[in-house]
Amino acid sequence: MGKNIDVELRNIKKTFQSNVVVQNFNLQVEQGEFISFLGPSGCGKTTTLNMIAGFLEPDEGDLFIKGQRMNGVPPYKRELGMVFQTYSLFPHMTVAENVAYGLKLRKVGKAEAQERVKRVLDLVKLPNVSDRYPKQLSGGQRQRIAIARALVIEPSLLLLDEPLSNLDAKLREELRDELKRLHQEIGVTTIFVTHDQEEALSLSDRIVVLNHGFVEQIGKPLEIYNRPASEFVHTFIGKTNRLSGEVVEQDGSRLLIKTDTGLLIRAGRQERSFVQREKVKVFIRPEKIKIAPAVTGQGGENQASGEIVMTSFLGAFSECEIHAGKLSLSAKVQMADSSINLEPGRAVSCSWDEADVLVLPTERDGR
Ligand SMILES: Nc1ncnc2c1ncn2[C@@H]1O[C@H](COP(=O)(O)OP(=O)(O)OP(=O)(O)O)[C@@H](O)[C@H]1O
Ligand SMILES: [Mg+2]
C-alpha cells in the first residue's frame, strides 16, 4: 500500500574478533510502527540497535533511514532518540538540564527549549521534578526522564534498549502501559529491545525474534504466538509441553501422531506438510490442557489419564504437573473453573483440542 519505510536493514552482518554476533539481518520498519527485538541474553539485540544508532558499523550490508543510506554516518547526524540499557542520565545535571541537553547541542533557543522540556515532562507525567537531580528520583522516574530526553528532540526514530529491565514487576507493567500510551499519542517509529516476551507481545506491532544473531521470525504478536516458525520461537515465547512421536495417519493437513509413550494425538491443520512415519515434535501449551476428574475406560485421541503430582497456586490460575504413565504434562487451570480438586494424588484426565496442537519436524535440531 505504498507505506513509508523508516528503517531498512539489508543483509546486515557484525563480527567481534572472529565471533559472528549478527548475520543475515533483513528488516523493513514502516513509519509509525512499534517493533520489538526479542531474544535471550547475548543474541545480538543491543549490537543491532547500536548499528542502527551509528555507535557501531556493520561489517557487511546496508542500513537505510528514511531512504538514505546511513553506513558511515555518525550518530548525531541520524536524528534519533535513544534510551540505553543502563541508566544514562548525567548525575551532575538537574532533570531539566538533562532533558534539555539534546536541544542545547542543536542550538535551540532558551525560551523554546524551556517550552519543549515542559511539554515532554508533562508527556511522561513528571511535571514537577525539573529541579531535582537524578539521584533524587526513583528508578522508574529516572527511566521516564531518559525517555523524555530522547523524545524532546522530536526524533524521527526512537530506539529503546530494555528501558524497563531494571524495575520491579509492578513498575515495569505501569511503565509498559505508559509506553504504549505514549506511542499511541505521538506515533513515533520505535524499535524496542527486550528479552521479556510479555512486553514484546503487549507493545509491538511486529516482533523480530532473535537467536544467536539470527532472525528466527518476524511477525505480528499473534502470528508469533500461534504460528511459530521454529521450536525456538515457540518455547521462547511461553511455557509448553513437548512430546515426540511419529506420524501414523494423514488426512489432508490434519495428522494423527503416536507419541513415544503410546499416546494418540490428533493435530488440526498445520502450516507444514509431513510424510507418513515422519518423526515429529508435538507441542501443547499448558493453558490449552483441560483437566477433569478421572473417568474410566478411555484411551481415545487427545486424552491422557494420570495423577496430579504438584500444584502451584498463582492467584488467577494454578499450574499443575500431571504424570500419565511415563509422560509428564504441565497444565494451567483458571481458578474461575476450580470446581475440580487439584490436590496432589488426585486422579485426573487431561484433554485438549486438535486446533491447539502444534507439530514441527524433528530434524531441524542441529541449528
Ligand atoms: N564490543 C564487543 N566486543 C566483543 N564482543 C562483544 C562486544 N559487544 C558485544 N559482544 C558480544 O556480542 C554478542 C551480542 O551482544 P549484545 O550486547 O548485542 O547482546 P544482547 O542481545 O543485547 O544481550 P542482553 O540481553 O544481555 O543485553 C554477545 O555474545 C556479546 O558478548
Ligand atoms: Mg543488550
Side-chain angles (χ1 to χ4, degrees):
M1 295 202 297
K3 278 247 177 156
N4 288 331
I5 302 300
D6 261 6
V7 185
E8 182 171 2
L9 283 77
R10 271 190 217 158
N11 268 316
I12 295 288
K13 179 177 179 179
K14 182 68 188 173
T15 313
F16 288 119
Q17 287 86 42
S18 57
N19 259 350
V20 182
V21 296
V22 174
Q23 62 183 315
N24 295 327
F25 203 127
N26 286 290
L27 174 69
Q28 290 191 333
V29 182
E30 283 174 10
Q31 190 173 15
E33 242 188 327
F34 194 114
I35 293 270
S36 291
F37 291 174
L38 175 68
S41 185
C43 70
K45 304 181 296 291
T46 296
T47 303
T48 308
L49 209 64
N50 280 334
M51 289 191 280
I52 298 171
F55 298 114
L56 288 172
E57 274 302 309
D59 300 345
E60 285 174 26
D62 301 299
L63 173 78
F64 298 86
I65 296 176
K66 296 207 180 281
Q68 297 215 353
R69 190 166 179 277
M70 283 289 145
N71 299 55
V73 175
Y76 67 92
K77 288 193 177 159
R78 297 190 185 194
E79 288 302 309
L80 311 173
M82 181 151 179
V83 175
F84 296 90
Q85 192 162 2
T86 43
Y87 295 139
S88 50
L89 298 180
F90 303 117
H92 59 285
M93 291 184 189
T94 64
V95 164
E97 287 163 352
N98 263 285
V99 176
Y101 185 74
L103 298 176
K104 207 170 159 190
L105 284 186
R106 286 168 179 77
K107 311 246 186 297
V108 174
K110 217 169 179 181
E112 191 194 335
Q114 264 179 4
E115 176 55 37
R116 280 166 72 169
V117 168
K118 187 181 174 307
R119 225 184 307 142
V120 285
L121 287 179
D122 282 345
L123 201 61
V124 298
K125 299 224 168 112
L126 284 175
N128 299 317
V129 300
S130 35
D131 294 332
R132 289 201 215 164
Y133 287 89
K135 67 168 187 292
Q136 298 169 312
L137 299 172
S138 73
Q141 289 170 332
R142 267 179 246 170
Q143 285 306 72
R144 283 186 214 190
I145 297 303
I147 292 167
R149 191 176 60 175
L151 287 175
V152 78
I153 60 164
E154 289 164 15
S156 53
L157 179 63
L158 183 62
L159 305 177
L160 305 170
D161 194 352
E162 311 224 27
L164 312 180
S165 65
N166 292 318
L167 309 173
D168 70 56
K170 188 150 185 331
L171 202 53
R172 274 183 93 111
E173 228 168 279
E174 265 176 46
L175 216 50
R176 186 176 86 194
D177 292 346
E178 198 120 312
L179 265 183
K180 195 168 184 128
R181 176 188 61 83
L182 260 180
H183 185 255
Q184 279 167 357
E185 223 169 289
I186 59 180
V188 60
T189 309
T190 304
I191 301 180
F192 174 82
V193 162
T194 181
H195 58 259
D196 182 302
Q197 354 91 6
E198 256 184 44
E199 276 175 15
L201 290 172
S202 66
L203 284 170
S204 316
D205 294 313
R206 286 188 301 153
I207 301 173
V208 180
V209 184
L210 294 172
N211 180 20
H212 283 301
F214 274 103
V215 174
E216 287 269 336
Q217 186 170 6
I218 301 177
K220 296 192 167 82
L222 261 172
E223 285 167 2
I224 299 272
Y225 194 81
N226 291 328
R227 286 182 285 150
S230 62
E231 176 173 357
F232 177 84
V233 173
H234 181 69
T235 53
F236 192 75
I237 225 83
K239 285 192 180 172
T240 192
N241 288 289
R242 170 181 148 159
L243 296 78
S244 47
E246 182 178 295
V247 177
V248 293
E249 199 184 293
Q250 277 175 301
D251 159 16
S253 51
R254 285 170 88 221
L255 303 167
L256 187 65
I257 292 148
K258 189 169 187 179
T259 69
D260 299 347
T261 55
L263 215 60
L264 283 176
I265 296 184
R266 176 70 67 182
R269 199 159 46 82
Q270 301 289 315
E271 304 262 298
R272 296 168 183 76
S273 47
F274 297 89
V275 296
Q276 195 75 336
R277 303 260 140 240
E278 181 169 351
K279 296 259 188 259
V280 290
K281 285 184 229 165
V282 179
F283 301 89
I284 308 159
R285 295 242 188 239
E287 67 268 25
K288 302 297 188 187
I289 292 188
K290 291 169 272 189
I291 292 186
V295 285
T296 47
Q298 54 164 0
E301 297 167 2
N302 291 357
Q303 290 185 345
S305 338
E307 184 187 307
I308 296 185
V309 293
M310 201 170 78
T311 297
S312 310
F313 175 61
L314 295 169
F317 57 87
S318 284
E319 275 180 1
C320 304
E321 191 186 327
I322 298 127
H323 282 182
K326 274 187 249 163
L327 179 71
S328 172
L329 284 175
S330 142
K332 202 166 165 178
V333 184
Q334 291 289 328
M335 293 322 282
D337 44 65
S338 61
S339 51
I340 338 142
N341 187 336
L342 299 174
E343 271 168 43
R346 287 284 154 165
V348 289
S349 55
C350 305
S351 63
W352 52 89
D353 292 340
E354 64 173 60
D356 295 324
V357 177
L358 171 73
V359 184
L360 293 175
T362 286
E363 65 282 347
R364 284 183 71 221
D365 251 5
R367 175 107 153 269

